[in-house]
Amino acid sequence: SSRLGILFEPYVIVLLPALLKAFSDSNDHVRTAADKTVGLIMAKLSGHGVKLVMPAVLEAFNEPEWRTKQASIHMLGSMSHCAPKQLASCLPKVVPKLTEAFSDTHPKVKKSAQDALEEICTVIKNPEISSISETILNALTDPANGTLHALEALISTEFLHAIDAPSLSIIIPVVHRGLRDRAANTKRYAALISGNICTMVNDARDFVPYLPILLPDLKSTLLDPIPDVRSITAKALGSLTRGVGEATFPDLRPWLVETLRSEDGSSVERSGAAQGLTEILVAGGAGMVQNVMVNEILPLNSHPKAGTREGVLWVLTFLPSALGQAYASLIDESLPALLSGLADDNETVRDVALRAGRVLVKSNGKAHKDKILPSLENGLGNEDYRIRVASLTLLGDLLSMLGGTKVVKGNADTQDDIRQAERAQAQIALVLGNETRKRVLSSLYLARSDTAAVVRQAAVQVWKTVVSVTPRTLREILSELVDQIVVSLASGDPERTQVAGRCLGDIVQKLGDQVLPEVIPVLRDSLYRGDEHTRQGVCVGLAEVIASSSKEQIIKFLNILVKVVQDALCDENDQVRKMATQCFQSLFQVVGTRTLDEVVPALLVSMESQDDVTKSRALNGVTGILSVRSRELLPYIIPRVLKTPLTISHADALASISAATSQTIHMHFNSIIPTLIMELSSFYGANLDEEEKLREDAVRCCSRAVCRNVDTIGVNWLISEVISKCTHDKESVRKEACWFLQIIIEERQSAADFYEDVDIIIREFIHRLNDDNSVVLKANNTAIGALTKCVPVEELVKHIRYIKDLIGSMVSDARYRKGGVGDGDFFLPGLNIPKGLEPLLPIYQRGILYGDATTRELAASGLGDLIKITQTKYLAGPFLIKLTGPLLRIVGDRNPPAVKIAIVQTLGLILTKGGPALRAFVPQFQTTFVKALSDPSRQVRVEAIKALALLMPLSTRVDPLIKELVSTSLGKSSNVTADTAGLVAIQTATLEALTVVLKHGGNKVKLAESVPSSLDAGKELILHEDDGIRESAAKVIGYACELLGEDEANSVMEELVLDHASNLSSCSAELKHGVACICRRVLSRPIGTKVDREIHKSITSIILNLMKDDKTMVKEAACVAIGAVLGSSHDINSAISSLEKSIAKNMDTKEELSVQQGAADGLSIAARQQPGIFRTSEGLFLINSALKMAMSGSQRVQFSYNDFLWIALDVENGETGLNEYLEHAYLEEAKKMKAIYSKVLIKIKAVNNDD
């Protein structure tokens, strides 16, 4: 190698394994020779040769065999003999491997590593490093204990010579270890050395190989929590950038920018990244700073993420200090970002922005005050209080710096503080100039009256810093301050206006008489010359001036103030008038009633002016004053306005007054409301010209305004006053009272504050339904419509019982009061007009559909009451459909019996009134009524039967109904699921319904089997064990025979009656009872007179036998049936003579009461079939016997015989029947009959015909 030199390099790779093996030889001479050989070879290696050898040696170091590792270390140590150039390239790889060997477990490996490092140290040329090499080697062998000492030694060493490559190779591991240490001091030293190394090497390229080792650690320490560590690290990065160029680590700046923008990082990390970026930019030169800031960093100020915005402001925090005066070119670009940051929603961003601003002021404030000061002054007027606070803080820093002082804390009332402020004020005047000083101090004084407490506090501290004597300074800046106040008052911004007003009041309090002569004329002139915003501001300022001045001061300028306030009160702009009202209030509180005496008379005179503009302005002024002093002024103004006839201008004035005095105007309703109603009533029936029509419109608009504007507390007063006019003698007044109630409801709809008085309003509306004037009825109808439209129906439903009771009471009065209609037809006038019932319908619909059980019952029955007192012609088809739908919809629900009864009854009334108009609803009606026949409640079933009777005239398809009723009566319907008792009740009800259908709709039957099937059902159930079913079945048989004719009637009588005659005595009581019922129902019908006479004769005999039966039930039925036998006889006189004794025998008080009643019922049947038979001599015996029973016995029996007498004497058609009887009666019976006729019979209205 010594001779061949570079030519031997190819063979070194081949010989390397043998050399490594020789290092671990047991013979010392061999190891020594290997050491010398390797040293010689390393000295001759070229750079390329080192690159070839290094991988093999490093690979051997990683072998687990300690001898091989030791040999590798010896080889690495020998590389110290390389040429300087090759040494510089290999040491960055060698030394880290050697320091790694110190952690090996084998002592000989550690010893070899230490020897190798010592060998490397022998080639160090830097004497300073050589002097501390032992300390550095100690740090490498024992990093935990030696690193800090080595770093301190490096810091304290004064380097006079450049650091060579071997020196770098042992320094960098120590620095690397120091950067990763936990101790802040260690990191600080390591970062400092990292930045300084570049300045101490001959060739910066020697340091480049170590950058991959140090850069990750520098990034980590740049984000360290300790500010000092971050600062030193940032400077180190800047130093490295200057030393080796930014191109050496191209990823560093993008990493810093990304860290600035990261939302995951902390504020500390963003601060470190900003500081590092600042140093790198400064190292890159002014061009780079300008380019990166303008194009990359400042645009991020509007980024939606708060962390990114904070990062930008951190850069602005560190850059001014780093650039110094060179930052001037960036002030204009950075100030908007600073101010935006001061107003940021994020508190951290705001804090950083303020910090950046203070740094800017500190570093560039003096030199560039002309650029910074205008932005701060603008910030003082910003709408965001945060910007105002920050601007004050920065302004305080700037002024204190210009004045050579510090912003005071606390009261700052000591002599030293005052002297210091005096010096600062003089210095600031010298630096800024007199005009700028006045402007700045005026803005600062305005800030002392800010709406935000924190702004006021900050402004006071800054003011005390630069102003020693406030009154003197105020006098100096007064003109400028007043100008700024006026500008702020005229800004249109409510907050700025308020601040300016407060400031003005503060000045007046401090300077008093000195400032008023200057301020008041300015405000007056601004009022007359300015726009609406200026006028508003002037009013605010005047209010503050008045509130802050003494009474004596105000009186001096009272003439001017009164005129200004009066003109402001009359302004066209609402806001100006509102502000002027506050001025007037302030003036009144200071001067008292003299204010009213000065202002009000002039306004009242102007209100009477012929000029519309003057009149309108005066009205504006009056209403403005009334809004604050209504109690004092209303008693004088109301009588003037209410002069009759009410003019259009007075009506408009009253409307405006009501808007201004909503809380007090109700106290004058006793004069206002009657005047308005009487005025409106005067238009009724008059032939109005155009002007009068306009006047009427004005009064109506005024009335609406009064109702709309009154406060909640006055609504009851309003309603009470209107209702007192509803019963007025004049129909025109009643009409307008109804209209007034309507507008109260409409105008108070949104406030909904009259609900407590709804019952009073309803009462008056219901009473007006009985008014005798059609115009009043129409107005009342419209008002009720407004009530149901404007008030939630669920609220009105609460009053449904009250409405029902009111109508019931009113109908009762109409019937039974003196001059009433009695039991005749009565129709409520208010319902018998077009759409008369419609306004009330929503209340009943809501109650029926959504109310509880009680409400549904009340709604259904109440609706029925209304239908009763409404004529059919006013219940038009569509309206009836509105009534019918909800009732049909709800009747099928699970409602209590009372509800169902009310609904079915109302449906029956609707059928009575509606007639053909309801034909489309027949199927629904029919289904509803048939279903009700199966209801557990007897009364529901009875009402359903009655309703079916009413439905039959409309029904066209009777056959399906008969079929269903027959099936149900026989218990074959699938819909019937009841116990035995319930089934009997349902069967009875169904048979009764079938009777009704046959009676009223039998002639509409189209199928031949319909009526016969009904007859068969009757035959099957006539022997039923329940007497109610038997009686109902007999009714069905009677009507079926009527429809089928005399042959079928004869057949039925033979089958059901005569066939049982032979063994009747042995038959059951049920059969006997059934036979009697059949005879009664068939013979009482017209078909009874057509029954074969032989059959009739046999029936007579059977019934006479049954009248002697032991069973009361049979005997009673027979007594009734004998009346039908008598009534169907052809020879009535013969029949009476043959039957009267048998009949009279049962008309005995000794008989059972039911038997006595049965005899009376039988006679009633006969009297209906044969009218007049009991007014002849032949019937005299029976009628006298009935007379005797009517005057004795129990009350129940008396009622039955009274009914018979009523029928027999034909009382319904007058006294003719009585006179006919009297012609044949004896004197005693005649007296008795007259007495009972006059006392009892004539009072009976009608007798039920139970056929």
Side-chain angles (χ1 to χ4, degrees):
S1 176
S2 176
R3 292 183 180 182
L4 295 177
I6 195 171
L7 297 175
F8 188 69
E9 279 188 7
Y11 303 100
V12 172
I13 303 301
V14 180
L15 295 173
L16 193 59
L19 283 170
L20 289 171
K21 189 173 182 183
F23 272 111
S24 58
D25 196 273
S26 58
N27 191 302
D28 290 340
H29 298 291
V30 175
R31 292 197 298 275
T32 303
D35 187 39
K36 290 180 179 179
T37 302
V38 169
L40 185 60
I41 290 173
M42 291 299 175
K44 300 295 182 179
L45 281 179
S46 65
H48 181 67
V50 171
K51 290 179 182 178
L52 292 174
V53 172
M54 185 65 70
V57 176
L58 293 176
E59 186 176 351
F61 179 82
N62 293 325
E63 291 292 329
E65 177 64 37
W66 72 271
R67 290 182 183 278
T68 306
K69 189 177 290 188
Q70 186 182 28
S72 173
I73 291 171
H74 282 303
M75 183 75 74
L76 292 172
S78 300
M79 286 188 178
S80 63
H81 299 289
C82 291
K85 187 175 181 181
Q86 283 73 30
L87 184 65
S89 66
C90 70
L91 284 178
K93 296 179 182 178
V94 171
V95 174
K97 281 295 180 185
L98 293 177
T99 55
E100 189 179 328
F102 286 118
S103 61
D104 199 89
T105 57
H106 202 283
K108 289 188 177 182
V109 174
K110 293 181 181 179
K111 182 66 171 63
S112 299
Q114 187 168 1
D115 293 342
L117 280 175
E118 289 174 355
E119 191 172 356
I120 291 173
C121 287
T122 59
V123 297
I124 292 174
K125 295 179 181 179
N126 184 287
E128 289 86 6
I129 297 297
S130 296
S131 65
I132 60 172
S133 60
E134 186 177 346
T135 304
I136 295 174
L137 286 176
N138 186 44
L140 293 173
T141 56
D142 186 11
N145 298 316
T147 300
L148 180 59
H149 295 301
L151 293 173
E152 288 174 342
L154 285 169
I155 291 290
S156 61
T157 300
E158 185 177 351
F159 286 90
L160 301 176
H161 302 83
I163 297 176
D164 56 353
S167 300
L168 274 177
S169 68
I170 63 172
I171 290 174
I172 294 303
V174 177
V175 173
H176 174 58
R177 176 67 177 79
L179 289 171
R180 303 176 70 179
D181 199 87
R182 289 185 177 182
N185 229 14
T186 307
K187 288 187 281 190
R188 191 181 298 112
Y189 290 159
L192 186 59
I193 293 168
S194 300
N196 292 337
I197 284 179
C198 275
T199 63
M200 293 186 288
V201 293
N202 279 332
D203 189 353
R205 287 175 293 179
D206 290 344
F207 187 64
V208 171
Y210 297 101
L211 285 176
I213 299 173
L214 293 180
L215 199 55
D217 297 325
L218 287 171
K219 287 182 178 179
S220 178
T221 53
L222 184 64
L223 309 181
D224 195 85
I226 300 173
D228 197 22
V229 174
R230 297 198 302 273
S231 177
I232 294 172
T233 304
K235 287 183 171 60
L237 287 173
S239 179
L240 289 175
T241 303
R242 278 188 289 271
V244 299
E246 189 183 2
T248 309
F249 26 76
D251 296 334
L252 180 58
R253 182 150 58 91
W255 174 80
L256 291 170
V257 174
E258 184 59 34
T259 306
L260 280 177
R261 301 180 60 176
S262 174
E263 284 293 312
D264 299 330
S266 65
S267 183
V268 168
E269 292 174 353
R270 285 189 281 274
S271 169
Q275 205 163 357
L277 181 61
T278 299
E279 294 296 338
I280 289 174
L281 293 179
V282 172
M288 177 182 283
V289 172
Q290 187 76 21
N291 181 49
V292 172
M293 287 299 295
V294 173
N295 297 323
E296 295 183 30
I297 303 301
L298 290 176
L300 296 176
N301 181 59
S302 58
H303 198 277
K305 292 183 179 178
T308 303
R309 301 195 299 273
E310 182 189 343
V312 173
L313 292 167
W314 274 120
V315 174
L316 296 180
T317 302
F318 297 116
L319 196 58
S321 300
L323 284 177
Q325 296 305 314
Y327 188 73
S329 61
L330 284 171
I331 289 177
D332 293 335
E333 285 84 1
S334 62
L335 272 175
L338 274 175
L339 294 174
S340 175
L342 291 172
D344 201 276
D345 293 333
N346 187 282
E347 185 177 359
T348 307
V349 176
R350 295 197 300 273
D351 292 342
V352 177
L354 181 59
R355 183 171 180 172
R358 302 188 85 158
V359 170
L360 174 63
V361 169
K362 184 177 180 181
S363 60
N364 292 270
K366 280 188 177 180
H368 302 287
K369 59 183 180 299
D370 295 336
K371 288 186 176 182
I372 297 173
L373 194 56
S375 297
L376 298 181
E377 288 184 81
N378 291 335
L380 291 179
N382 196 283
E383 61 182 14
D384 192 319
Y385 81 93
R386 299 187 188 97
I387 292 184
R388 300 202 297 275
V389 173
S391 298
L392 278 169
T393 304
L394 298 179
L395 182 62
D397 290 348
L398 179 59
L399 293 178
S400 62
M401 185 173 64
L402 295 177
T405 183
K406 293 181 179 179
V407 178
V408 298
K409 305 293 182 184
N411 294 327
D413 292 333
T414 65
Q415 289 299 318
D416 289 342
D417 291 330
I418 294 172
R419 283 194 294 272
Q420 193 174 7
E422 188 73 29
R423 288 194 297 270
Q425 191 170 1
Q427 184 65 23
I428 289 169
L430 186 63
V431 174
L432 295 180
N434 194 39
E435 292 302 320
T436 305
R437 168 182 167 271
K438 286 182 179 180
R439 187 181 72 245
V440 172
L441 290 181
S442 297
S443 301
L444 184 59
Y445 196 81
L446 263 174
R448 290 179 47 151
S449 302
D450 200 273
T451 54
V454 64
V455 178
R456 295 197 299 272
Q457 185 178 359
V460 168
Q461 295 299 330
V462 176
W463 179 267
K464 288 182 177 179
T465 301
V466 297
V467 174
S468 57
V469 182
T470 296
R472 184 184 68 194
T473 305
L474 283 178
R475 285 192 292 272
E476 292 173 1
I477 66 171
L478 185 59
S479 59
E480 174 65 27
L481 181 56
V482 170
D483 288 343
Q484 287 196 21
I485 288 173
V486 171
V487 170
S488 296
L489 288 173
S491 64
D493 180 4
E495 191 170 351
R496 285 186 64 189
T497 303
Q498 183 181 357
V499 170
R502 285 182 179 178
C503 183
L504 189 57
D506 186 46
I507 295 172
V508 171
Q509 282 183 338
K510 284 186 171 63
L511 301 182
D513 291 338
Q514 300 176 29
V515 73
L516 285 177
E518 186 169 343
V519 169
I520 291 178
V522 171
L523 293 177
R524 179 192 59 195
D525 296 341
S526 300
L527 179 71
Y528 296 134
R529 293 199 305 266
D531 59 7
E532 62 185 52
H533 296 304
T534 304
R535 299 199 300 274
Q536 289 177 33
V538 167
C539 291
V540 173
L542 279 175
E544 291 291 342
V545 167
I546 294 168
S548 304
S549 302
S550 65
K551 185 174 182 179
E552 292 74 16
Q553 291 170 337
I554 294 297
I555 290 174
K556 287 181 183 179
F557 297 93
L558 187 61
N559 291 335
I560 299 176
L561 289 173
V562 165
K563 178 61 177 171
V564 171
V565 170
Q566 180 177 324
D567 288 343
L569 284 169
C570 299
D571 200 274
E572 294 83 2
N573 184 272
D574 290 341
Q575 288 299 320
V576 175
R577 294 200 301 273
K578 185 177 180 181
M579 303 287 185
T581 303
Q582 297 175 6
C583 289
F584 181 85
Q585 180 74 340
S586 300
L587 197 61
F588 185 88
Q589 290 173 352
V590 175
V591 182
T593 56
R594 183 177 172 184
T595 311
L596 290 173
D597 298 337
E598 294 282 347
V599 176
V600 174
L603 292 177
L604 292 177
V605 170
S606 298
M607 282 179 65
E608 303 298 331
S609 171
Q610 298 300 316
D611 182 35
D612 291 340
V613 175
T614 304
K615 191 185 301 182
S616 174
R617 286 177 58 82
L619 179 59
N620 290 340
V622 169
T623 54
I625 298 172
L626 283 171
S627 65
V628 292
R629 310 305 308 178
S630 60
R631 291 183 182 275
E632 294 87 346
L633 201 54
L634 273 179
Y636 299 101
I637 289 184
I638 292 297
R640 287 172 174 263
V641 173
L642 291 181
K643 289 179 180 178
T644 55
L646 203 61
T647 63
I648 294 176
S649 61
H650 281 184
D652 294 341
L654 183 57
S656 301
I657 289 169
S658 69
T661 59
S662 58
Q663 295 182 343
T664 54
I665 195 170
H666 62 273
M667 298 178 182
H668 301 273
F669 278 164
N670 59 346
S671 58
I672 294 174
I673 302 303
T675 301
L676 289 175
I677 292 178
M678 290 300 178
E679 196 69 23
L680 287 170
S681 68
S682 67
F683 298 115
Y684 174 70
N687 187 16
L688 304 179
D689 57 19
E690 195 63 33
E691 185 177 349
E692 284 296 288
K693 289 179 181 178
L694 291 174
R695 194 166 72 85
E696 180 184 5
D697 292 341
V699 176
R700 292 194 184 279
C701 290
C702 171
S703 302
R704 283 188 176 275
V706 170
C707 296
R708 178 173 58 252
N709 294 325
V710 66
D711 204 53
T712 300
I713 193 173
V715 173
N716 179 264
W717 296 46
L718 175 63
I719 293 172
S720 300
E721 198 62 46
V722 173
I723 283 180
S724 67
K725 300 299 178 186
C726 287
T727 54
H728 199 275
D729 294 340
K730 292 184 178 180
E731 64 269 15
S732 59
V733 177
R734 298 199 301 275
K735 167 187 172 295
E736 297 305 334
C738 291
W739 178 80
F740 233 99
L741 286 176
Q742 174 190 336
I743 64 169
I744 291 172
I745 294 164
E746 291 173 349
E747 297 299 331
R748 308 302 300 184
Q749 179 181 2
S750 57
D753 51 7
F754 63 95
Y755 289 178
E756 292 182 359
D757 299 309
V758 163
D759 54 344
I760 302 174
I761 296 173
I762 288 175
R763 182 193 66 198
E764 203 52 49
F765 283 159
I766 298 300
H767 286 163
R768 286 307 98 220
L769 290 174
N770 201 23
D771 201 279
D772 56 2
N773 185 273
S774 60
V775 176
V776 177
L777 293 176
K778 187 175 180 181
N780 188 59
N781 182 266
T782 306
I784 296 174
L787 181 70
T788 54
K789 180 180 177 182
C790 298
V791 178
V793 186
E794 54 270 21
E795 178 70 27
L796 294 175
V797 167
K798 299 176 184 176
H799 304 277
I800 202 163
R801 182 188 294 275
Y802 182 56
I803 296 172
K804 186 177 186 303
D805 292 343
L806 281 173
I807 291 174
S809 174
M810 190 161 54
V811 172
S812 177
D813 287 346
R815 289 189 183 281
Y816 303 116
R817 69 170 182 257
K818 187 176 181 180
V821 297
D823 292 328
D825 290 337
F826 169 73
F827 298 110
L828 194 62
L831 301 182
N832 291 276
I833 61 175
K835 297 184 178 180
L837 187 55
E838 192 163 339
L840 291 170
L841 184 59
I843 306 175
Y844 291 93
Q845 284 181 322
R846 178 78 186 191
I848 289 168
L849 291 174
Y850 304 109
D852 55 22
T854 304
T855 304
R856 286 181 173 181
E857 180 188 356
L858 290 169
S861 60
L863 186 58
D865 294 343
L866 294 179
I867 293 171
K868 288 178 185 176
I869 53 180
T870 305
Q871 294 182 51
T872 304
K873 66 179 180 180
Y874 295 109
L875 296 171
F879 184 72
L880 280 174
I881 292 171
K882 286 183 184 179
L883 296 176
T884 307
L887 291 168
L888 288 175
R889 199 178 315 153
I890 205 68
V891 72
D893 292 353
R894 293 184 177 179
N895 291 308
V899 177
K900 290 183 179 179
I901 291 166
I903 292 174
V904 173
Q905 286 176 340
T906 303
L907 286 172
L909 283 170
I910 291 172
L911 281 170
T912 303
K913 296 278 187 175
L918 296 172
R919 198 176 298 279
F921 281 95
V922 167
Q924 292 95 313
F925 275 110
Q926 189 168 294
T927 302
T928 299
F929 298 151
V930 171
K931 186 177 179 181
L933 293 174
S934 302
D935 196 87
S937 169
R938 178 182 178 278
Q939 191 59 38
V940 173
R941 298 195 299 271
V942 169
E943 295 299 333
I945 294 167
K946 293 178 182 177
L948 268 176
L950 297 170
L951 182 65
M952 283 304 98
L954 301 178
S955 182
T956 56
R957 299 177 69 248
V958 179
D959 299 280
L961 176 59
I962 291 176
K963 183 178 179 181
E964 183 178 359
L965 293 175
V966 167
S967 177
T968 305
S969 65
L970 295 174
K972 298 177 182 179
S973 174
S974 59
N975 295 329
V976 179
T977 55
D979 54 19
T980 304
L983 182 60
V984 167
I986 293 170
Q987 285 179 293
T988 304
T990 309
L991 287 169
E992 292 289 340
L994 184 57
T995 302
V996 165
V997 171
L998 292 174
K999 177 181 178 182
H1000 297 283
N1003 56 353
K1004 297 181 182 181
V1005 170
K1006 296 178 181 178
L1007 298 178
E1009 67 272 15
S1010 294
V1011 177
S1013 66
S1014 303
L1015 180 59
D1016 293 341
K1019 290 178 180 178
E1020 185 173 337
L1021 293 172
I1022 197 64
L1023 299 179
H1024 195 277
E1025 61 183 11
D1026 183 78
D1027 53 348
I1029 290 180
R1030 292 195 300 274
E1031 290 177 2
S1032 299
K1035 289 182 182 180
V1036 172
I1037 293 171
Y1039 281 103
C1041 291
E1042 178 77 16
L1043 293 170
L1044 293 174
E1046 58 186 276
D1047 292 340
E1048 188 63 36
N1050 290 329
S1051 175
V1052 167
M1053 299 305 283
E1054 288 179 356
E1055 178 185 353
L1056 298 180
V1057 179
L1058 301 184
D1059 289 352
H1060 298 290
S1062 58
N1063 57 347
L1064 195 62
S1065 58
S1066 61
C1067 291
S1068 64
E1070 288 77 9
L1071 176 61
K1072 294 176 183 177
H1073 179 258
V1075 167
C1077 289
I1078 292 170
C1079 294
R1080 178 243 178 123
R1081 294 299 174 181
V1082 174
L1083 295 180
S1084 63
R1085 302 301 305 152
I1087 193 69
T1089 59
K1090 299 178 182 179
V1091 172
D1092 185 88
R1093 291 299 94 185
E1094 291 299 320
I1095 296 175
H1096 189 277
K1097 185 176 180 182
S1098 301
I1099 291 172
T1100 305
S1101 176
I1102 293 171
I1103 296 302
L1104 288 172
N1105 288 333
L1106 291 178
M1107 288 175 68
K1108 304 171 185 176
D1109 198 89
D1110 296 336
K1111 296 292 184 181
T1112 302
M1113 172 182 66
V1114 177
K1115 198 171 184 179
E1116 177 193 353
C1119 287
V1120 178
I1122 198 66
V1125 170
L1126 182 61
S1128 59
S1129 298
H1130 288 178
D1131 186 359
I1132 188 63
N1133 294 329
S1134 174
I1136 290 176
S1137 62
S1138 62
L1139 297 175
E1140 62 182 6
K1141 290 184 179 180
S1142 299
I1143 296 172
K1145 186 176 180 181
N1146 289 311
M1147 295 166 65
D1148 190 345
T1149 54
K1150 296 179 181 179
E1151 290 287 344
E1152 293 289 337
L1153 293 179
S1154 59
V1155 175
Q1156 297 177 45
Q1157 285 183 283
D1161 292 342
L1163 290 175
S1164 297
I1165 293 172
R1168 288 188 184 278
Q1169 287 183 281
Q1170 301 281 350
I1173 61 169
F1174 295 109
R1175 301 195 293 272
T1176 63
S1177 57
E1178 288 80 7
L1180 195 62
F1181 173 73
L1182 287 175
I1183 196 171
N1184 287 336
S1185 300
L1187 176 63
K1188 182 179 178 182
M1189 294 297 294
M1191 301 181 71
S1192 61
S1194 70
Q1195 191 177 47
R1196 194 172 66 180
V1197 173
Q1198 288 180 10
F1199 287 161
S1200 297
Y1201 284 98
N1202 287 339
D1203 290 345
F1204 162 67
L1205 293 176
W1206 188 87
I1207 296 169
L1209 297 178
D1210 195 17
V1211 176
E1212 186 178 16
N1213 293 317
E1215 297 184 358
T1216 303
L1218 175 64
N1219 293 331
E1220 290 178 4
Y1221 166 78
L1222 294 177
E1223 288 178 3
H1224 304 284
Y1226 296 112
L1227 181 61
E1228 189 66 27
E1229 283 77 11
K1231 287 182 180 179
K1232 292 179 180 178
M1233 186 64 77
K1234 285 181 180 180
I1236 199 170
Y1237 183 93
S1238 60
K1239 293 179 180 178
V1240 179
L1241 301 184
I1242 200 169
K1243 295 179 181 179
I1244 298 176
K1245 303 301 179 184
V1247 174
N1248 183 36
N1249 181 17
D1250 182 22
D1251 54 0

